[in-house]
Amino acid sequence: MPTPSTPRARDAALFVGGAFVPAENGRTSTVLDKARQEPLGRAGWASPADLDRAAREAAVAGRAWAAADFGVRADVLREAAARLRARAGEFADLLVRETGSIRGKAEYEIAGAVEELHLAAALAGHIRAETLPTRAPGRESVAQRVPLGVVGVITPWNFPLVLAMRVLAPALAVGNAVVLKPSPHTPLSGGLLIADVFAEAGLPAGVLQVVPGGQDTGEALTAHPDIAMVHFTGSSAVGRTIAREAGERLKKVSLELGGNNALIVLDDADLDQAGQIGAWSAFHYQGQTCITAGRHIVQRPVFDAYVADLAARAARITVGDPTRDGVGLGPMISAEQRERARELLAEAVAAGATVVEGGDGDGLFHRPTVVTDVTRDMALWTEEIFAPIAPVLAVDTDAEALAVANDTPYGLVDAVLTSDLARGRRLAAGLGSAMVHVNDSTCLDEPQAPFGGLAASGLGGRSGGESNLHEFTQLRWLTVQSTPVHYPY
């Protein structure tokens, strides 16, 4: 199979100043095919000096970009969407190999990224000013939304294309420059090929900089004085560190963090639907999403039937190399992630939990797993698993289901399954998460909807739709006095 990336975007490069260039220290990283553990390409490894150059150049280029006609920005975004669509096959092949996902997930990412670009292009023309009342005769008073300047973006490996585009497309649309640091696991599909698409689309040099690298690169990005805002998607632990560092520098910060999301199955739920939704919510992309259902809370009258159906669905899923037909789940992203899943499961079993289905796997592969006899103090229940493991707990009443669901430091997304929509709405109103879905999966994400979390699941605003106007701009008060003013001095 040919390497699915363009030569200039995989040539051990960074993307700085509108060109693919080597890192200042010459350092590179090997990008692996996650299923085969074979080299897929190489990327540059930015030093703090590279980040400094990228941020300073972005600040300069961003001023002209902010002053450009909104139609110019919209045209670039629409052209980027067209270029991405034209290269969909290349991107899909790369996403499958670089992230270990099946092709359907890769195609979803590409379609979502194209839609993000189109919505952002429309957003460019929606920036408005509000006329304010004023006491002074002859004074015009206006609240304007203006760009922040340079937005620093740190993205994860699980949905590298669409999660990068969800931030950088609207940030560019409203006049910001962007410095993007993709995950070290996915620097090609999450960064360098994105830069290639925008370069083809005519984005001016310096407006988008891509600096793959490690922790020191991320720390330099967070601390840099030319970066006005840091947007981070990733773990709650890293998010707390970024919040502290950004807070000390009085930077705007937006954190989209982890979740330990609850799927509540009430005793009147359609069990065929519940099984489908439960399996998708738990096992989709090896359970490696922030919106995975990590806790299945099931009322006792339907508990056994739900567990049996979920286990049967898990048993039918084929695990293997996602480049092969018929595979439903690919590899975990890394040996560390796979080992953590093993440890959490082993600890739970040692404490009395029962593996109903799955529980094993070879190498980076992990069978979809259903676990019962869990208790609320097990780490398998209290922590974000990020693996295809579904712990299932029985409850009796609606009140108990709510209490168990809300017993978590996270607040990202929950779902309620019931045939009584009024009952579903009542439970939704009592859940302490930022997003709730009745009779659907926890794994929902639409680009026009506000996406984000509460408590340990996030800090800042929301991504999506009109929320992006608030997320990536700041308010400025402008007055224009058309008649003389008189002060006592």
Side-chain angles (χ1 to χ4, degrees):
M1 181 183 294
T3 301
S5 55
T6 62
R8 56 181 180 156
R10 63 178 173 86
D11 190 22
L14 317 176
F15 186 76
V16 178
F20 291 98
V21 298
E24 173 258 355
N25 56 10
R27 189 178 173 190
T28 65
S29 65
T30 301
V31 185
L32 293 176
D33 179 313
K34 300 305 184 293
R36 303 175 187 182
Q37 291 294 288
E38 298 171 350
L40 179 60
R42 298 191 70 79
W45 192 268
S47 68
D50 290 313
L51 187 283
D52 176 62
R53 176 191 166 193
R56 287 187 288 104
E57 291 190 10
V60 174
R63 288 193 282 272
W65 179 247
D69 184 280
F70 78 88
V72 171
R73 298 198 296 270
D75 285 346
V76 169
L77 292 163
R78 282 190 288 265
E79 182 62 21
R83 300 279 179 160
L84 177 55
R85 186 182 285 114
R87 295 171 63 174
E90 173 191 357
F91 269 85
D93 289 343
L94 179 60
L95 283 163
V96 168
R97 298 180 66 186
E98 194 177 18
T99 71
S101 77
I102 62 173
R103 194 171 185 89
K105 181 261 191 186
E107 291 171 346
Y108 157 80
E109 272 208 71
I110 295 161
V114 168
E115 191 170 7
E116 293 285 358
L117 285 162
H118 281 297
L119 288 175
L123 192 72
H126 286 186
I127 304 172
R128 300 181 181 90
E130 179 185 1
T131 301
L132 305 174
T134 178
R135 294 186 177 92
R139 176 182 294 160
E140 178 187 0
S141 180
V142 177
Q144 299 176 316
R145 288 219 161 262
V146 298
L148 295 162
V150 181
V151 177
V153 183
I154 304 174
T155 53
W157 45 260
N158 54 353
F159 286 78
L161 173 61
V162 74
L163 292 184
M165 205 67 79
R166 184 168 72 185
V167 180
L168 69 89
L172 292 172
V174 298
N176 298 290
V178 172
V179 176
L180 170 64
K181 192 197 91 64
S183 165
H185 290 292
T186 52
L188 302 180
S189 59
L192 294 173
L193 258 70
I194 293 173
D196 203 38
V197 165
F198 274 103
E200 289 182 350
L203 185 69
V207 176
L208 172 63
Q209 316 270 36
V210 179
V211 285
Q215 181 177 337
D216 60 344
T217 313
E219 290 171 351
L221 183 151
T222 302
H224 201 282
D226 284 326
I227 292 180
M229 173 187 178
V230 179
H231 190 291
F232 170 77
T233 304
S235 73
S236 299
V238 176
R240 288 187 179 95
T241 299
I242 290 174
R244 284 194 297 270
E245 295 298 318
E248 287 182 4
R249 293 164 175 83
L250 302 180
K251 288 180 187 282
K252 182 173 183 178
V253 65
S254 184
L255 306 175
E256 292 188 7
L257 307 177
N260 190 10
N261 313 299
L263 178 72
I264 300 174
V265 182
L266 298 182
D267 53 15
D268 61 351
D270 179 320
L271 289 182
D272 180 68
Q273 276 284 287
Q276 291 182 51
I277 291 169
W280 181 256
S281 298
F283 307 137
H284 168 62
Y285 184 46
Q286 294 83 269
Q288 297 175 129
T289 79
C290 62
I291 49 179
T292 292
R295 297 176 297 151
H296 297 239
I297 301 167
V298 184
Q299 289 191 327
R300 209 170 298 278
V302 295
F303 181 86
D304 290 342
Y306 176 78
V307 168
D309 189 74
L310 188 63
R313 293 177 190 276
R316 292 195 293 267
I317 298 173
T318 299
V319 178
D321 186 338
T323 63
R324 297 174 181 166
D325 291 340
V327 169
L329 293 186
M332 305 288 287
I333 194 66
S334 67
E336 292 79 9
Q337 194 66 30
R338 173 69 175 86
E339 186 58 32
R340 180 175 181 273
R342 283 179 173 158
E343 290 174 357
L344 287 173
L345 185 60
E347 288 173 5
V349 170
T354 302
V355 175
V356 178
E357 173 58 41
D360 56 358
D362 297 319
L364 295 185
F365 298 93
H366 194 298
R367 289 285 316 160
T369 299
V370 179
V371 186
T372 59
D373 300 318
V374 295
T375 58
R376 291 168 60 182
D377 59 350
M378 291 178 178
L380 189 73
W381 184 262
T382 61
E383 296 184 15
E384 183 178 36
I385 306 169
F386 240 61
I389 301 174
V392 193
L393 180 73
V395 296
D396 291 304
T397 65
D398 291 12
E400 185 183 5
L402 275 178
V404 173
N406 287 334
D407 183 20
T408 177
Y410 296 97
L412 188 57
V413 59
D414 295 313
V416 180
L417 308 184
T418 176
S419 62
D420 184 340
L421 296 185
R423 186 183 183 192
R425 288 178 181 274
R426 285 196 299 273
L427 262 74
L431 288 165
S433 57
M435 302 178 287
V436 183
H437 307 301
V438 177
N439 288 340
D440 212 331
S441 171
T442 57
C443 297
L444 295 185
D445 181 17
E446 296 185 357
Q448 77 282 0
F451 187 98
L454 303 172
S457 292
L459 175 69
R462 295 288 181 267
S463 298
E466 292 288 325
S467 300
N468 286 325
L469 282 176
H470 298 272
E471 188 78 333
F472 301 112
T473 63
Q474 56 192 337
L475 277 173
R476 179 171 63 189
W477 182 33
L478 172 69
T479 69
V480 178
Q481 187 68 43
S482 60
T483 59
V485 296
H486 299 283
Y487 293 106
Y489 299 122

